[in-house]
Amino acid sequence: MRKILLTAFVLSGQLLFAQTNKPGNLIQYVNPFIGTGAVDTNSLSGSNFPGPTTPFAFVQLSPDTRDAPDDPASGYDYNDKTIVGFSHTHLSGTGVADLFDVLLMPTTGAVKLDPGKVEVKGSGYRSTFSHQQESAKPGYYQVMLKDYGINAELTSTSHVGLHRYTFPKSDSAHIIIDLNHSLDKKRSYWQCHIIGAEIRVVNNTTIEGYRILTGWAKLRKVYFHAEFSKPFTSTVLANGRRSVENMPIINGTSLRAALNFNTTDNEQILVKVALSPVSIQNARLNMQAELAGWDFDQVSKQSASQWETELGKIKVDGTLQQKQIFYTGLYHAFTQPNNVADVNGDYQASDLTIGNAPDKAHYSTFSLWDTYRAAHPLYTFIQPEKTAAFINSMIRQYDTYGYLPIWQLWGDENYCMIGNHAIPVITDAILKGIPGINIDKAYEAIKASATTDHPGSPFTTWEKYGYIPEDIESQSVSITVEMAYDDWCVAQLAKKLGKTADYEHFMKRSAFYKNLYNPKTGFFQARNKDGKWVTPFNPLDYGGNGGSPYTEANAWQYAWYVPQNVPDLIKLMGGNQSFSAKLDTFFSLANKPGDVNGNASGFIGQYAHGNEPSHHIAYLYDYAGQPWKTQFYVAKVLNELYNNSSSGYQGNEDCGQMSSWYTFSAMGFYPVNPANGVYAIGSPILKNAVMQLSNGKTFSVTVKNSSPANCYIQSVKLNGVAYHKAYITQLDIMNGGKLDFVMGAKPNKSWGTKPDDVPPMWGYTN
C-alpha cells in the first residue's frame, strides 16, 4: 500500500474544491490529478491525464510533460517538472501510448521550434511549472508556465479545445503549433512515424491542417481548424530544421509553426481548435456547431454541468477520501469510450472508408480485455443509451472488418490482448434488455467473431484440440480459459434466441478449460499439440504479452478464471475446503520472482490488484461458503490499494476498469461473471449509495457501523426483510429497493454460508 500523500497536491486540490464548487455539488469531489503519477517512479499509478474533457468526448485536451510520450501513456507524469505543451487527444489509464494530436504551446522570447531536452533549462520551447500554480477540475485545467510568465487555461467541448493564455507584456510572444509531437518514434515495434502533414495559414486569425501517421493505431488521419481571438503579426513555418517566415502553407513530415504576437501586460489570447478524423471541412462544422463564440468561462461551466449530470447517476455518502476516489472513478469511467463521429455523423471506419452514424455517435477506445469485467456492467445500469451506442459501434466494425473489436482505437483494430470480449459485453446488454440493439444482427456478429480465425483467437486450432497448444499459439492458457468464457456467453445468447444446436456447441466449447487443468499440479497448465504438459513448470513465473502461457500474469492468478462455472472449478480443486485452502495460500504466498511483469502491482500474496486477471478473485470465497474471507480481502483492497493522491491506483486505470471495481465494491457487490446477472456481495465501505437506474427506479445501499475496522457483515436486509444470501441479482437491483448492511469487527460465520446462500449460475428470468 502506498499511503504517502503529496501534501502540496492535496492542499491545492482541497483549496480548488472550496473556491470553485458550491457545497453539495458532486464535481467538487472529482480530483483529476488522482492516478497521474506514482510516488515510486518505478511503479504504476493509473496513467490518467488531468486536462479537461466532456463525457465520452473526442477531444481530450491536456498537458504533456514529455517530448515523446511513452510511459505513462497519458503523456502527463505528476513527478515531471516541465511541460512541453497542450495536445488535444489522449488515452486515459492505458498501458500503451498513442494520440497526442495537435500540440499548442505559448511562449515568449526568441522563436524556438524544437521542444528541447528536459535536462537543459530553457532549451527549446518547453517550460518549468509548479503544482502550487496548477489546478484542475471537471471542464477546466490551469497552469502557470514559469519560464514565460504565461498562465495557461484549458476547457473543451466534445470536438473543440479552447485555450486561454494570459501573456506578459512582450514584443516577441508566440503560440507554437506542433504536428510532429507524438508517441516515442524510437519504439521500433510500433514504428510510429508521420506519413504526411500540412499547416495552412488561411488568414491572420485562422490556421488549418492535418497529419496522417502510424502508431499503436496503424493509420490515423487528424484534421484541425484553429481560430485565434487576436490576429498574429507574422508566422514561421518549419519542416524539420528548415523554417520559412510568412509562408502561407507548408507540407512535410515534421511540421511546426510559430504564430507571433505583440502583447500588453496580462493580455489574454484565446485559441479554439476543432478536430475531425474525416476532413478539415468537418472540423469547421464541429466548431460551428459546438463553439461559435469565445466565452471561455461559459464553456467551462457547460462542461462542469455535463459532468454534474453524469456523476449524479450514483449519489453516495462516506468520508471525503472515499467520495473523492468514488467520483473521480466515475469521471474516469465516463472519459471513454470516445465518440469519434463528427457532428454530422461522419467517422473513419475500420476499413479506412468514411461511414456515417445515423445517431451521430460512433464510439472507439474499447479496452475490452479490461472493461468487460466491471466497467461495461456498470454502464448497463447508469448509461443504457451509451451502452446501446457502444454496441452498435462494435457491430459496425463487424460489418467492415469481419469480427467484433478486441482492442479498438480511433476506429482501428490493433489486436492488443486476447479473446474477444465484445462478446460478453453484447450478451450482457441484450440479456438485461437494453433497448436500441438489433439482437439478430448482434448474434450474427457474435457467432462470426467466435468462429472466424483472427489474431489471438485461432478457432480452427480450438475446435481441433479442445484447447490452445502452446507450441501453436503463445499465451495458450490465458487464451484457452478466456475463450471458454466467451463461448459460454455465445451459448447464453443462442439459448435466448432458441438456437439449440448453437447453444449445445458453444456450451461444449465453454468447458474446454478442463483440458488444461493438471490435477497433479492443481493449476491450468500449458500443453503442446502432442498433449504433453509443457515443462518445466513454476506457477510463480510471469508472462507478458507473448513468450509465455500466461498473459500479464502467472499460473496462480489464472488458476481462478472460470467465471462461467465456479462450482465446477471448485470441484476440480477438490471441493469447498480444498478450494478455500488454496485461496488462503494465494492471498498469503508472497514469493515473487525477479521477472514480475510490469503490470503486476498491488500485491496481497499472489493477488495483484494492479491488473485485471485478479479482479474477481477475492469474491470467490462467497462461492465456497466462507464469505467472511471475501469481506476481509475486498475491504483490504478498498481501504489500502486506492487513495486520493496522484498515486491513487495500484496499476494502470485501464479505461475505467480499475475505477469500476471500486464503484461496485464500495457499494457492496461485484459481477464475478460479467454476463450472468449475479453480483457477489463483498464488504461495503460507504455510508450509503443511491443508484439511479435506467428504468426510473432507484436502488440504495445503507451501511451501519461503516469503518475500516468493521469490515465484516453482521446482518443484511433487502427491502426490510432479513437476507442471508451472499449475492444479489439483476432483478433485485432493477426492481428497486434498499439493501441494508450492519457491519462489525468480527466475522459472522453463520451469514451467507449455507448451500442456498452461495451465488448461483444465473440471475435473469430467461
Side-chain angles (χ1 to χ4, degrees):
M1 170 187 174
R2 292 179 295 209
K3 290 185 176 178
I4 300 173
L5 300 181
L6 302 179
T7 304
F9 162 72
V10 175
L11 291 177
S12 64
Q14 291 174 346
L15 179 62
L16 172 67
F17 298 147
Q19 291 176 336
T20 61
N21 295 278
K22 297 178 180 179
N25 286 354
L26 300 179
I27 61 170
Q28 70 182 301
Y29 302 115
V30 176
N31 204 333
F33 292 108
I34 291 178
T36 59
V39 173
D40 175 1
T41 56
N42 293 320
S43 62
L44 302 174
S45 67
S47 194
N48 298 108
F49 62 83
T53 185
T54 57
F56 306 105
F58 182 52
V59 163
Q60 301 190 324
L61 177 57
S62 191
D64 293 337
T65 58
R66 308 286 174 92
D67 299 337
D70 177 12
D71 183 17
S74 65
Y76 178 95
D77 191 327
Y78 195 84
N79 297 293
D80 288 343
K81 306 301 182 183
T82 60
I83 286 174
V84 70
F86 310 101
S87 62
H88 288 76
T89 57
H90 292 85
L91 291 170
S92 177
T94 59
V96 178
D98 206 352
L99 307 184
F100 313 111
D101 296 303
V102 191
L103 180 138
L104 269 63
M105 181 66 169
T107 69
T108 58
V111 173
K112 296 178 181 178
L113 290 176
D114 190 306
K117 297 181 179 179
V118 176
E119 63 270 19
V120 182
K121 182 178 180 181
S123 74
Y125 60 71
R126 66 168 55 248
S127 174
T128 57
F129 76 106
S130 166
H131 295 307
Q132 282 71 35
Q133 295 178 296
E134 181 187 35
S135 61
K137 61 178 180 177
Y140 179 80
Y141 172 86
Q142 170 275 327
V143 67
M144 174 61 70
L145 302 172
K146 296 171 67 175
D147 289 0
Y148 307 117
I150 297 172
N151 189 52
E153 298 171 281
L154 310 175
T155 189
S156 66
T157 66
S158 183
H159 294 85
V160 186
L162 181 59
H163 309 238
R164 183 165 67 186
Y165 302 139
T166 303
F167 284 86
K169 182 178 181 180
S170 176
D171 58 4
S172 57
H174 321 285
I175 296 177
I176 308 297
I177 300 177
D178 191 339
L179 296 191
N180 191 51
H181 181 70
S182 70
L183 68 104
D184 192 344
K185 299 180 182 67
K186 295 180 181 179
R187 293 186 66 178
S188 60
Y189 57 92
W190 293 132
Q191 297 181 335
C192 174
H193 62 277
I194 311 297
I195 297 171
E198 176 181 286
I199 296 176
R200 181 187 297 268
V201 181
V202 178
N203 55 47
N204 63 359
T205 59
T206 308
I207 300 288
E208 293 180 338
Y210 66 84
R211 71 172 183 173
I212 302 170
L213 71 163
T214 66
W216 189 17
K218 294 183 293 296
L219 182 66
R220 294 195 303 115
K221 299 177 181 180
V222 187
Y223 300 89
F224 75 93
H225 172 82
E227 296 183 7
F228 298 77
S229 63
K230 177 177 180 173
F232 39 85
T233 59
S234 61
T235 64
V236 178
L237 305 185
N239 182 21
R241 296 183 178 180
R242 179 176 177 269
S243 62
V244 182
E245 295 184 7
N246 298 320
M247 187 165 62
I249 189 171
I250 192 167
N251 300 84
T253 59
S254 181
L255 299 189
R256 297 183 179 94
L259 312 178
N260 305 321
F261 302 85
N262 295 320
T263 57
T264 59
D265 193 33
N266 291 322
E267 181 175 2
Q268 292 183 338
I269 298 178
L270 280 74
V271 190
K272 49 186 179 180
V273 181
L275 298 190
S276 166
V278 172
S279 68
I280 290 176
Q281 175 61 27
N282 275 16
R284 296 181 197 132
L285 289 175
N286 291 341
M287 183 177 290
Q288 182 180 4
E290 294 182 0
L291 189 52
W294 292 97
D295 193 334
F296 182 98
D297 294 333
Q298 182 61 29
V299 173
S300 181
K301 289 178 182 178
Q302 289 173 350
S303 178
S305 178
Q306 291 179 55
W307 281 112
E308 188 70 28
T309 297
E310 298 301 327
L311 299 177
K313 293 176 179 178
I314 306 180
K315 295 182 179 179
V316 305
D317 189 19
T319 68
L320 175 61
Q321 175 168 297
Q322 288 170 348
K323 289 189 284 188
Q324 287 182 354
I325 296 170
F326 188 94
Y327 283 113
T328 304
L330 280 186
Y331 177 81
H332 286 148
F334 298 164
T335 298
Q336 69 291 299
N338 310 114
N339 182 12
V340 297
D342 292 322
V343 293
N344 63 1
D346 289 349
Y347 64 92
Q348 179 180 294
S350 298
D351 60 358
L352 304 180
T353 60
I354 303 304
N356 185 270
D359 58 355
K360 316 303 181 190
H362 181 75
Y363 288 91
S364 191
T365 317
F366 289 118
S367 183
L368 288 162
W369 185 80
D370 308 296
T371 56
Y372 86 95
R373 304 168 194 262
H376 281 281
L378 180 64
Y379 297 146
T380 63
F381 285 120
I382 56 178
Q383 296 285 358
E385 296 84 2
K386 290 290 190 299
T387 293
F390 297 159
I391 289 170
N392 291 333
S393 300
M394 295 177 190
I395 292 172
R396 292 187 192 114
Q397 172 172 315
Y398 162 72
D399 287 335
T400 58
Y401 221 61
Y403 52 87
L404 293 163
I406 299 169
W407 211 124
Q408 190 203 80
L409 175 63
W410 205 272
D412 177 54
E413 180 55 64
N414 60 41
Y415 306 111
C416 185
M417 306 314 296
I418 58 172
N420 194 310
H421 298 315
I423 291 173
V425 170
I426 296 173
T427 298
D428 182 47
I430 291 174
L431 294 179
K432 287 176 177 175
I434 299 294
I437 303 168
N438 183 326
I439 296 177
D440 291 333
K441 180 70 173 181
Y443 183 74
E444 175 190 323
I446 282 176
K447 183 177 178 180
S449 299
T451 54
T452 303
D453 283 342
H454 55 81
S457 297
F459 291 111
T460 300
T461 300
W462 183 238
E463 296 274 9
K464 180 178 179 180
Y465 294 96
Y467 62 94
I468 301 298
E470 180 68 15
D471 54 351
I472 292 178
E473 183 77 27
S474 182
Q475 305 177 76
S476 61
V477 174
S478 296
I479 293 172
T480 294
V481 298
E482 293 198 26
M483 289 205 318
Y485 174 67
D486 291 341
D487 283 347
W488 181 88
C489 294
V490 180
Q492 306 318 306
L493 193 52
K495 182 179 180 180
K496 177 179 176 64
L497 298 177
K499 299 179 183 294
T500 303
D502 282 357
Y503 169 76
E504 293 174 352
H505 178 71
F506 285 105
M507 281 299 289
K508 178 181 178 181
R509 285 186 9 178
S510 76
F512 281 178
Y513 63 87
K514 297 179 182 181
N515 296 328
L516 290 188
Y517 186 77
N518 186 345
K520 293 183 178 180
T521 63
F523 291 96
F524 293 114
Q525 191 173 330
R527 301 171 73 174
N528 288 325
K529 59 179 178 288
D530 62 6
K532 295 181 179 179
W533 300 110
V534 174
T535 57
F537 171 69
N538 180 355
L540 292 170
D541 285 345
Y542 263 82
N545 299 98
S548 164
Y550 305 98
T551 301
E552 297 186 2
N554 63 17
W556 269 107
Q557 288 147 16
Y558 264 103
W560 316 100
Y561 192 83
V562 189
Q564 71 273 27
N565 197 342
V566 179
D568 188 64
L569 179 62
I570 293 174
K571 182 179 179 181
L572 282 177
M573 291 187 177
N576 283 350
Q577 293 304 315
S578 177
F579 182 81
S580 296
K582 188 162 186 171
L583 274 174
D584 292 344
T585 302
F586 174 75
F587 280 103
S588 60
L589 182 61
N591 297 28
K592 301 186 197 66
D595 61 348
V596 170
N597 182 270
N599 287 290
S601 54
F603 279 98
I604 305 173
Q606 287 303 299
Y607 179 90
H609 192 70
N611 210 16
E612 279 66 26
S614 290
H615 274 194
H616 68 293
I617 301 175
Y619 285 91
L620 295 182
Y621 284 110
D622 280 353
Y623 295 76
Q626 295 186 0
W628 65 90
K629 293 181 180 178
T630 283
Q631 295 155 30
F632 174 82
Y633 285 114
V634 168
K636 187 175 181 66
V637 174
L638 286 165
N639 291 313
E640 298 182 8
L641 299 184
Y642 290 82
N643 66 62
N644 61 346
S645 80
S646 66
S647 60
Y649 299 108
Q650 292 295 306
N652 294 320
E653 201 276 334
D654 286 321
C655 293
Q657 170 58 27
M658 197 72 68
S659 295
S660 296
W661 188 96
Y662 187 95
T663 299
F664 271 121
S665 296
M667 292 191 295
F669 50 92
Y670 185 81
V672 170
N673 178 339
N676 75 341
V678 175
Y679 302 84
I681 288 177
S683 179
I685 62 170
L686 299 166
K687 291 181 181 178
N688 60 66
V690 179
M691 185 160 52
Q692 303 293 327
L693 302 173
S694 57
N695 60 5
K697 297 180 181 181
T698 62
F699 184 79
S700 66
V701 176
T702 65
V703 183
K704 186 177 180 180
N705 302 330
S706 174
S707 75
N710 294 334
C711 67
Y712 296 108
I713 293 173
Q714 304 301 297
S715 64
V716 181
K717 290 183 179 179
L718 178 61
N719 296 326
V721 178
Y723 191 78
H724 298 281
K725 300 181 185 300
Y727 68 91
I728 57 173
T729 69
Q730 181 73 16
L731 294 174
D732 293 330
I733 295 172
M734 295 307 294
N735 284 337
K738 188 178 181 183
L739 191 65
D740 297 308
F741 292 90
V742 176
M743 309 299 291
K746 295 182 179 180
N748 177 359
K749 295 185 179 181
S750 65
W751 182 88
T753 59
K754 296 179 180 179
D756 290 341
D757 294 338
V758 304
M761 297 299 296
W762 201 242
Y764 300 117
T765 56
N766 61 330

